[in-house]
Amino acid sequence: MDYRIKLQKPKTGALSMMGAAFIALALVFVFIIIGNNSKNIEGRGKEVRATVTSVQRIARTYEIKVKYQNDDGEFVEALLQNRGARPSLGQTIKGYVLDGNPQKVYSEENKTLKTVFIILVVAFAGLGVFIILLSKKEGKRYKLLSESGITCEGIVRGITIMKDGNGKISGYAVHFEYTDTLGGVHEGDSMVYNGRQPSIGDRYPVVYAMEPKGGYIAEMIQ
């Protein structure tokens, strides 16, 4: 029997979309970082000490009002353009006011938060690229096995039980051995997500193929 028809087609489309989503998140954090730096507030603005007089939640954001004293000794009510951790009511913070716009105070940039954003950019972008590359690799692997794969028999040599966050068994990582048509012995790994737990020595159909640059790939048929 030609077991290539039983090969499980990888969900490359879903993986690519997931990778793109992580890259999009990385871009969001990049825009946040650029937005906080683009106006050079610390260099252009006048430093003031402002007291938080109101913290009101509006939808998913917060409207924060502050009060500070200008050069004439007058108290000015202003909106806070927050660039760091959200301050609490009554807290006094360091802020910056731009010429011509006294009704807006920019809070001091949170260096720690900026570092966290940079780490998130690197992490999400790297993870997104990795998932997309993995998707392409799995797609090529499936295409090679489905078009040029040869069916043989494999024997289970090792089993690792996989568990989810709740400790429930989610599958089995199976290490198997198979022999090609020329008598060469090779090893492979497959995941079993359904059915009973395999046992050492169990025999299963295997589809294998030789890669263009040498080496073998193989998939155990469940």
Side-chain angles (χ1 to χ4, degrees), residues 44 68 97-104:
R44 296 170 50 218
Y68 69 94
V97 178
L98 296 176
D99 290 339
N101 192 7
Q103 276 71 46
K104 179 177 286 187

Side-chain angles (χ1 to χ4, degrees), residues 1 3 26 51 77 84 90-91 93 95 127-129 142 155 170-171 174 187 196 199-200 208 215:
M1 178 179 177
Y3 282 92
T51 301
E77 296 280 350
Q91 181 178 348
I93 62 173
L127 183 59
V129 171
Y142 173 78
I155 183 169
S170 58
V174 179
E187 296 180 347
R196 70 173 181 84
S199 300
I200 303 296
Y208 75 90

Side-chain angles (χ1 to χ4, degrees), residues 48-55 63-70 75-80 87-97 105-107:
V48 297
R49 304 297 294 182
T51 301
V52 179
T53 59
S54 172
V55 179
E63 181 185 81
I64 302 173
K65 294 181 180 180
V66 297
K67 181 172 65 176
Y68 69 94
Q69 195 170 19
N70 63 18
F75 285 96
V76 180
E77 296 280 350
L79 285 175
L80 179 69
S88 57
L89 185 65
Q91 181 178 348
T92 299
I93 62 173
K94 180 165 65 174
Y96 300 88
V97 178
V105 174
Y106 293 85
S107 69

Side-chain angles (χ1 to χ4, degrees), residues 22-101:
F22 278 114
I23 293 175
L25 280 174
L27 290 175
V28 169
F29 288 120
V30 168
F31 288 135
I32 292 175
I33 294 171
I34 292 175
N36 278 356
N37 291 335
S38 61
K39 295 181 180 180
N40 188 24
I41 301 300
E42 284 80 359
R44 296 170 50 218
K46 177 179 176 58
E47 183 178 323
V48 297
R49 304 297 294 182
T51 301
V52 179
T53 59
S54 172
V55 179
Q56 183 178 2
R57 183 166 184 172
I58 301 176
R60 296 184 179 181
T61 62
Y62 284 85
E63 181 185 81
I64 302 173
K65 294 181 180 180
V66 297
K67 181 172 65 176
Y68 69 94
Q69 195 170 19
N70 63 18
D71 293 338
D72 297 326
E74 300 173 339
F75 285 96
V76 180
E77 296 280 350
L79 285 175
L80 179 69
Q81 184 68 38
N82 193 31
R83 302 192 300 153
R86 188 176 71 252
S88 57
L89 185 65
Q91 181 178 348
T92 299
I93 62 173
K94 180 165 65 174
Y96 300 88
V97 178
L98 296 176
D99 290 339
N101 192 7

